[in-house]
Amino acid sequence: MINKQTEIFLNKKSEELLGKRTDEIYDVEDEFEKKLENSEKPLQKTLLAGKKISGKYYCLHNDRKIPVFVNATPVICESEIIGAILLFRDISRENEIDRAKTEFVSLASHQLRTPLSIINWYSEALTQNQNNFSKEQKNYMKKICNANQRMINLVKSLLNTSRLEMNTFSIKNKEIDLVKIARNTLEEVAELCSVQNISIEEKFSSETIRLKGDPQLLTIILHNLLTNAIKYSKRDGKIILEIFEQKTDIIIDVIDQGIGIPEKQKKEIFTRFFRANNAKEKDAEGTGLGLYIIKTTVEKLGGKITFDSKEKKGTTFSVILPKNGTLEKESAKKLI
Ligand code: ADP
């Protein structure tokens, strides 16, 4: 049974469709525009699992492709699943508005980068030439430099977020050695570690771990996970960076013994701008964009990110990436 609106969309009367399978009538793609196997489609998923499924998809019919929000609900009679109800809501307009917002953020953050870099050069030049400064003036200079650096980081995260959302960044798929990338990243975070006397132990399954991927995106993922582990560890803490191979995948684990993630806030942890209460108390300066950027990047690389955490005991973030990488994508822009 289909309603009037579906008849209009499909340009068919319901009688014409009787007896046909839904996959003969329309196709479904996920929100990243990847074609779905039958078992991954909301109808089959709800019938198999016997529970509600909802999410963003694309509905394809003839030459049309419409972004939709789907609610799939099983119809259960005397504990037997006898069918399902599928509700499609056309979200083209919401998507357009979202895109316009993202374009604005992208443009604004791009424009902010130049003046911020200029402030950075001159304030650093002044800090290096402080002989005539009083103690108070030196203190002010330090505060200006720190605040400016925070602003540069925020603008960088906003630009990356908008590029990820608009899909306007390149993805390379070349043969790389993850151990090399991990060691370079560890050098980059060494100073941050030394401030809090934190040590990072390497546990690599071999001296070279090869996979196909984008070295710069992998550096961003590792850098973000490691800086989070450092920021949310206690003084003198210990972190483990574990990388090992499985048959078709590479697993990266970043294990810390820090403040952990409160149970009640776990489900929101990958949401844009979200910061848990204990994190805000420990470090007032985060943006809440890092994990969102990592998750989106990992998924664009065909991988998955999960975590396990206990408040006051520690957190483990695990990233699983396919050894064969993903499809290359050309773009003049990249993540920074
Ligand atoms: P930020 O660190 O700038 O706040 P992120 O997006 O990187 O933003 O992280 C979002 C939130 O996830 C953090 O504010 C913190 O609450 C939590 N979080 C991330 N990594 C860890 C970790 N290793 N230990 C505890 N909490 C973490």
Side-chain angles (χ1 to χ4, degrees), residues 200-213:
I200 304 187
E201 185 189 337
E202 296 172 4
K203 276 193 185 169
F204 304 151
S205 62
S206 58
E207 266 308 296
T208 44
I209 300 180
R210 297 201 183 283
L211 84 158
K212 283 182 102 182

Side-chain angles (χ1 to χ4, degrees), residues 42 52-57 69-72:
K52 282 188 188 177
I53 306 284
S54 55
K56 286 185 181 172
Y57 294 89
F69 191 89
V70 179
N71 275 308

Side-chain angles (χ1 to χ4, degrees), residues 224-233 254-256 258-262 265 268-280 283 285-294 309 314-317:
N224 266 303
L225 287 177
L226 286 169
T227 38
N228 273 353
I230 300 165
K231 272 194 314 192
Y232 302 119
S233 278
V254 179
I255 306 160
D256 69 53
I259 60 171
I261 300 167
Q265 297 187 305
E268 291 170 276
I269 219 72
F270 292 111
T271 316
R272 272 180 303 185
F273 298 112
F274 181 81
R275 306 196 66 217
N277 295 341
N278 59 348
K280 284 190 230 166
D283 179 351
E285 296 187 359
T287 62
L289 283 170
L291 279 186
Y292 172 77
I293 291 172
I294 303 176
S309 180
T315 307
T316 299
F317 274 94

